Each structure stands twice: as C-alpha cells, then as structure tokens.
Amino acid sequence: MNTLLSDKAYTLIKKKINSCEGEYLSVRRLSREINIGYSPVREACNRLSQEGLIKQLPGIGYYVPKVKEKYFTEIFEYRRVVGCYVFEQVFPFLTQEHVNILSEYNDNMIKYLQEKDIQNFHKYDKKFHLFFFNLYDNSIFTNQMNNIMDRSYYCSYKTVDSVDKKKNISAIEEHKEILKYIASHDKEMAIQKYIEHIDNNEARIKEGYYNNKLEKSLTI
Amino acid sequence: MNTLLSDKAYTLIKKKINSCEGEYLSVRRLSREINIGYSPVREACNRLSQEGLIKQLPGIGYYVPKVKEKYFTEIFEYRRVVGCYVFEQVFPFLTQEHVNILSEYNDNMIKYLQEKDIQNFHKYDKKFHLFFFNLYDNSIFTNQMNNIMDRSYYCSYKTVDSVDKKKNISAIEEHKEILKYIASHDKEMAIQKYIEHIDNNEARIKEGYYNNKLEKSLTI
C-alpha cells in the first residue's frame, strides 16, 4: 500500500471540494486531474467520506454535500457545549506562560491576516482553541474538536474570507479579551467572553454564508 | 469497487479484534482467514483505523491497541458531558409514548440477558441511550455518541459480560428508575439518575476490566 500517495491525494481532493459543493466526484476523473493512481485516490475518497466531508453513493461514486444552515448550528453547538466545558475545567490551571503562548498565536493570526494568508490564519485560530483541549488531554474531545474545527474552516473558506476582513479582526479582538480575563484570573468573565466568541463566530459564518449564496445567485 | 465485500470484511474484522488486544494484524493473513480479497480487507482495515479501533503502522500493517484505563475515563466523560446535556435538552419534550418505547427496549434487554445474547443486549442498551440523541437531532453529537457506544461495548465484551450478570441487571434497573422519573416529569431526579447510571456504568466496566486482567494473568 502506498500511504504517501493516498495522503497526497487526500490533501488535494480536500482542497478541491471547497469549490464544488453539490457536485459529483468520479474517482477516475479525479485520478486523472491530480495525476495520482486510481487506488490511492479511492482510499483518499473513502477517508473523506468517513470524515463526513463527501458522501459515498455505492456503485456510483461520491458527491460533495451542500452545506446547510443546520450544519453550522450543529458545529457551533458542539463547540459551545464541549469547548466551554473543557475551558472551564482547565481554567484554574492556566498560567501567565500559557497566556504568552496564546498571545503569540494571536499575533500570528494578525500577521497572516495582513498577508491575506487565510489558511495560516485558520491554523493559528485552531491552535488557540485546541490549546485548552491539549492541556485537558481527553483524546476523544480533542480528536472530535480537531475534526469539527476543520469542518468549520471548510465552511468558512467559501464565506468569511471571501467577504470581508473586519470579521476576522473581530475574532482576534475577542481572543484578546479572553486572554485578558485569563491573565486576571477572572473565571466568570473569561467564560462569558469565551461563549460570546463562539456565538459571534457562528453569526459571522452564517452571515457570510448567506452573503455568499446571494453573490452566487447574482452572478449566475 | 466492491462496497459489500468491504462491509462484510469490516464486520468480521471488528468482531475478531475483540480477542486480540495488543496483536499485529496482517492484511494478507486476515484476507486468507476470512476468505475475502486483499483490497476489500485493506479498505475495511482503513475504516477501522479511521475509527480508532486499530492503529496503522505505515508500510507494515495494523495492530490492535491495548485498552488503557484512561480510555474508559475519556469515554465516560464524553457520555457524561454530552449525554447529560442532550438528555436535559430533550427532557421537556418527552411523553408517555416515548417512555413506552424505552420500556420496550428495556424489556428486550432483559430477554436477551436471559438468553445470554450479549450483543443484542448491547444493541438495545444503545437504542435506549441514542433515543434521546435521535430526538435532539444534532448529527455531530449522534454520530460521535454512536461511535463512542461501540467503543464502550468493544471494551466491555472482554469484561462485564464475561464476569457476572448482576452488573447487567443493575444497568437495567437503573434504566427503569430513569423512566420512572421521566414518566412523573421530575426533571431533577431524572437527570440525577441519568448521571448515576453513567457513573455506575463506568465503575462496572473498570471493575470488570481489572478482574479480567487478573484472570488473564492467572491463566498465563
């Protein structure tokens, strides 16, 4: 088995599906397009299908499901319930050193936003949120959150980044506020700001999604 | 691609790994043992690996990880945090009709326990717990819980069922108590009993696990 080729196919197809919502994927055509053999491409599709990013139609192939509003609601409910729980559990153990690391992630977010490098912007946003999960060390929560964050970026690639940068700046400001309350050991305010941040993220993604839908329907 | 063969291989290998903790799996040998071709078996192994039930060693094959105590702790923390949240959310909408369906599941659990059919016993236990998730309808919670329940049964196949039946009877009695408080619309007590049930399940699995470890070390 060639794991490397399959991993390469996985990364390429994952990028590709950002722009083909609602379309069918033929393994044979994908294989030609990305110039990787049939078997590793099929393995990559199986993996994407297991992760819920594409759907398998037995005997036919795969398709990229349309992202529905309900999906955003589900993602952010997960982030609210499990994210807040984990944040609350680790809060008493957070030190100034942790705050410094998180501030660095935030600085990187600013830098990449200025460079219009949205993938690295998301990378550091993910590092910020997963930091608390890694400290808490429940592998089920961490793996699931990791997956959920990827899905949520997958949605936002089509929306927030293509709409306006103000929203991303707001997210960075909200991170700073959370850090302020961690530094001053104000648990109640830190958690309140954490929840507000998740709620705002949800609103931002949903708004961008509808703007984008509108844009699409105008250009057709 | 032959999805049916791959599904069949998946089911057979999933059963097989219950009894080979810590062992290596060769795709070629598995293929011979279950009399299914190499490709569907490899696909089935990939899927089990994605689900975390086996681990891939690139270029070598797969192995069945040993179940550690931390794993149980993580599973039951997930069930406590997300399970209770979902139960609490749906509680106001639960009717006598729902209680009747859940009682039927419980009756089936009793029946299969008497017949010593532990797989069907677990099937109805899963139906009982997923009932609240299906009513709530957040696909992320439901899929994850579905997976988690399978893992938790995977652990208990080696432990609870092989040790004593009293524990399984206790679980059924606890379900009945939860149903009693749902029927009388006593939310506070229902949630308390729900949490106690998860805590007891955790204790039962952990106890069984150590008894089993002891048994194993005695027979070696």
Side-chain angles (χ1 to χ4, degrees):
Chain A
M1 98 196 64
N2 196 322
T3 312
L4 281 174
L5 269 183
S6 169
D7 282 349
K8 197 180 161 194
Y10 171 84
T11 311
L12 290 171
I13 301 167
K14 200 172 178 182
K15 268 187 196 161
K16 192 180 166 53
I17 54 177
N18 287 333
S19 58
C20 46
E21 198 183 89
E23 286 177 23
Y24 287 88
L25 297 176
S26 143
V27 175
R28 212 163 288 283
R29 202 168 54 208
L30 277 174
S31 165
R32 269 201 308 272
E33 281 174 11
I34 63 176
N35 200 24
I36 292 178
Y38 185 84
S39 284
V41 168
R42 196 179 61 179
E43 274 190 25
C45 285
N46 273 344
R47 190 170 151 202
L48 288 162
S49 159
Q50 299 299 335
E51 292 173 358
L53 292 174
I54 61 177
K55 296 273 177 199
Q56 189 170 14
L57 299 167
I60 299 170
Y62 298 87
Y63 77 96
V64 186
K66 289 198 179 184
V67 176
K68 292 189 187 127
E69 191 189 345
K70 184 171 181 293
Y71 189 55
F72 297 131
T73 309
E74 291 181 353
I75 284 177
F76 284 97
E77 186 172 25
Y78 185 93
R79 292 189 58 179
R80 208 173 288 112
V81 175
V82 179
C84 286
Y85 171 80
V86 167
F87 183 61
E88 207 174 330
Q89 300 303 309
V90 296
F91 191 86
F93 309 104
L94 294 173
T95 64
Q96 186 56 45
E97 206 180 309
H98 295 140
V99 173
N100 295 345
I101 297 168
L102 289 162
S103 297
E104 253 179 59
Y105 294 163
N106 231 17
D107 291 343
N108 277 316
M109 286 176 73
I110 296 169
K111 185 186 133 209
Y112 287 117
L113 189 59
Q114 283 163 343
E115 294 174 5
K116 296 185 181 174
D117 179 348
I118 205 74
Q119 294 214 331
N120 268 313
F121 171 81
H122 282 155
K123 182 180 153 190
Y124 281 94
D125 180 57
K126 189 175 167 183
K127 273 174 166 285
F128 187 98
H129 285 278
L130 280 182
F131 188 79
F132 308 110
F133 280 76
N134 288 329
L135 271 182
Y136 192 56
D137 192 28
N138 174 322
S139 70
I140 294 168
F141 287 152
T142 310
N143 292 343
Q144 178 74 351
M145 189 63 177
N146 193 19
N147 199 299
I148 288 284
M149 296 288 284
D150 281 343
R151 292 188 193 200
S152 126
Y153 297 137
Y154 161 68
C155 294
S156 75
Y157 283 140
K158 307 200 242 320
T159 59
V160 181
D161 61 323
S162 67
V163 180
D164 70 77
K165 295 289 172 282
K166 266 190 221 153
K167 292 179 179 181
N168 290 325
I169 292 169
S170 302
I172 295 171
E173 293 299 327
E174 287 161 20
H175 282 186
K176 278 189 192 166
E177 273 228 287
I178 295 168
L179 291 180
K180 192 179 81 185
Y181 289 112
I182 295 174
S184 64
H185 307 288
D186 187 339
K187 187 174 172 179
E188 208 180 306
M189 279 304 289
I191 290 167
Q192 192 187 310
K193 291 294 167 190
Y194 186 97
I195 296 171
E196 278 176 26
H197 175 55
I198 305 292
D199 289 345
N200 291 338
N201 271 344
E202 181 173 3
R204 283 189 285 262
I205 278 206
K206 283 189 177 173
E207 198 195 327
Y209 180 69
Y210 289 112
N211 282 346
N212 194 253
K213 285 263 151 182
L214 192 67
E215 263 177 39
K216 267 188 186 164
S217 63
L218 287 174
T219 54
I220 282 163
Chain B
M1 99 195 64
N2 195 324
T3 311
L4 281 175
L5 268 183
S6 170
D7 282 349
K8 196 180 161 192
Y10 171 85
T11 310
L12 290 171
I13 301 167
K14 200 172 176 181
K15 267 186 199 161
K16 192 180 167 53
I17 55 179
N18 287 333
S19 58
C20 46
E21 199 184 271
E23 285 177 24
Y24 287 88
L25 297 177
S26 143
V27 174
R28 213 162 288 282
R29 201 169 52 208
L30 278 174
S31 165
R32 268 201 309 272
E33 281 174 11
I34 63 177
N35 200 23
I36 293 178
Y38 184 84
S39 285
V41 168
R42 195 179 61 177
E43 274 190 27
C45 286
N46 274 344
R47 189 170 151 202
L48 288 162
S49 159
Q50 299 300 336
E51 291 173 1
L53 293 175
I54 62 176
K55 297 273 176 200
Q56 189 171 13
L57 298 167
I60 299 171
Y62 298 87
Y63 77 95
V64 186
K66 289 197 179 184
V67 177
K68 293 189 184 125
E69 190 190 347
K70 186 172 180 293
Y71 190 53
F72 298 131
T73 309
E74 291 181 352
I75 284 177
F76 284 97
E77 186 172 26
Y78 185 93
R79 292 189 58 180
R80 207 173 289 112
V81 174
V82 179
C84 286
Y85 171 80
V86 167
F87 183 62
E88 208 173 331
Q89 300 303 308
V90 297
F91 190 87
F93 309 104
L94 294 174
T95 64
Q96 185 57 44
E97 207 181 308
H98 295 141
V99 173
N100 295 345
I101 297 168
L102 289 162
S103 296
E104 254 179 57
Y105 294 163
N106 231 17
D107 290 344
N108 277 317
M109 287 176 73
I110 296 169
K111 185 186 134 209
Y112 286 117
L113 190 60
Q114 283 163 343
E115 294 174 5
K116 296 186 181 174
D117 179 347
I118 204 75
Q119 293 213 330
N120 268 313
F121 172 81
H122 282 156
K123 182 180 153 190
Y124 281 94
D125 181 57
K126 190 174 167 184
K127 273 174 167 284
F128 187 97
H129 285 278
L130 280 182
F131 187 79
F132 308 110
F133 280 75
N134 288 329
L135 270 183
Y136 192 56
D137 192 27
N138 175 321
S139 69
I140 295 168
F141 287 152
T142 311
N143 292 343
Q144 178 73 352
M145 189 63 179
N146 193 18
N147 199 301
I148 289 283
M149 296 287 285
D150 280 343
R151 292 188 193 200
S152 126
Y153 297 137
Y154 162 68
C155 295
S156 74
Y157 283 140
K158 307 200 242 320
T159 58
V160 181
D161 62 324
S162 66
V163 180
D164 70 76
K165 295 288 171 280
K166 267 190 220 152
K167 292 180 178 180
N168 290 325
I169 291 168
S170 305
I172 295 172
E173 293 298 329
E174 288 161 20
H175 282 187
K176 278 189 192 165
E177 274 229 284
I178 295 169
L179 291 180
K180 191 179 80 184
Y181 289 111
I182 295 175
S184 64
H185 307 289
D186 188 338
K187 187 174 173 178
E188 209 180 304
M189 280 303 289
I191 290 168
Q192 192 189 309
K193 291 295 167 190
Y194 187 96
I195 296 171
E196 278 176 26
H197 175 55
I198 305 292
D199 289 346
N200 291 338
N201 271 343
E202 181 171 2
R204 283 189 284 261
I205 279 206
K206 283 190 177 172
E207 197 194 326
Y209 180 69
Y210 288 113
N211 283 347
N212 193 254
K213 285 263 151 186
L214 193 66
E215 266 176 39
K216 267 189 185 165
S217 64
L218 288 174
T219 53
I220 284 166

